[in-house]
Amino acid sequence: MPSFLARSLVLGCCLMILVILLPSPGSALGLLRPQPSLNFTIGVEGVVWCKSCRYPGYVESRDASPLRNASVLLRCRHGHRALSVWNTTNAQGYFLIQTGTQAAPFTSNNCKVYVPRSPARGCRVAVSPRRKKGSPLKFRRFVTLTDGLQARYSAGRFTFAPQDPSKC
C-alpha cells in the first residue's frame, strides 16, 4: 500500500509540473494570448510614381519621379459594411493610410487601395495597377503604437505615365 501511495504521489507531481510547463491551449509557441482589450488597427503604405517624367525627386534607376499630393483611397467591403479612408502622398510619393478600430470587421481580402488619378497633368495614364482594379493588401509586419497594435500592409507601387512622353 505505501508503494502505491508513493507511485501515485510521484505521478501526480509529474502531471502537475507538466501542466505548469506546457503552453496554454490558446497560445502559439508558448506566447501569451493577447488581451481582449487590445486595440488592433491596420495601416497601408505604398508609393505613387510617374514613369518617364523628370519631376522633382526623379530616380534614374526607375526612370520615374515620385508624385506628390496624389489622393489614395483604402476601400474595404464585406456584405453591407463598407469603409473608405483617404490620404495623400508626400514629396517622395509615399503614403500611409491608418484606420481606427472601425476596420475590425474586415480582413485584408476585403480591402483594396486605389489611386483614382494622378495630380500631374502630363502624367495621367494609369499603368499599374489599372485604375478600377486597385491593389490588394500584402501583410508586412506588426507595428506597436502608443494606443495598441497595428498590422501594417503594403499596397505596392502605383505607376502613371504620360500619354505622350514628350509632354511631361
Side-chain angles (χ1 to χ4, degrees), residues 20-70:
I20 290 171
L21 293 178
L22 284 177
S24 67
S27 64
L29 302 173
L31 299 174
L32 296 175
R33 188 182 297 183
Q35 298 300 316
S37 62
L38 183 66
N39 183 10
F40 188 84
T41 62
I42 65 170
V44 181
E45 58 189 355
V47 181
V48 182
W49 295 94
C50 176
K51 189 86 171 142
S52 301
C53 293
R54 293 180 183 246
Y55 296 134
Y58 176 77
V59 178
E60 192 172 342
S61 62
R62 290 192 187 274
D63 185 30
S65 300
L67 285 178
R68 173 185 220 152
N69 294 324

Side-chain angles (χ1 to χ4, degrees), residues 36-110:
S37 62
L38 183 66
N39 183 10
F40 188 84
T41 62
I42 65 170
V44 181
E45 58 189 355
V47 181
V48 182
W49 295 94
C50 176
K51 189 86 171 142
S52 301
C53 293
R54 293 180 183 246
Y55 296 134
Y58 176 77
V59 178
E60 192 172 342
S61 62
R62 290 192 187 274
D63 185 30
S65 300
L67 285 178
R68 173 185 220 152
N69 294 324
S71 294
V72 183
L73 169 65
L74 169 66
R75 178 166 287 152
C76 301
R77 292 181 184 173
H78 182 70
H80 295 295
R81 293 181 177 177
L83 170 69
S84 295
V85 182
W86 290 87
N87 205 348
T88 57
T89 57
N90 65 13
Q92 289 79 36
Y94 172 82
F95 65 87
L96 173 61
I97 298 173
Q98 299 187 75
T99 69
T101 55
Q102 75 269 26
F106 303 100
T107 66
S108 61
N109 294 336
N110 302 133

Side-chain angles (χ1 to χ4, degrees), residues 110-126:
N110 302 133
C111 301
K112 286 193 176 185
V113 176
Y114 301 88
V115 179
R117 65 186 155 278
S118 165
R121 282 188 177 188
C123 198
R124 297 273 183 177
V125 179

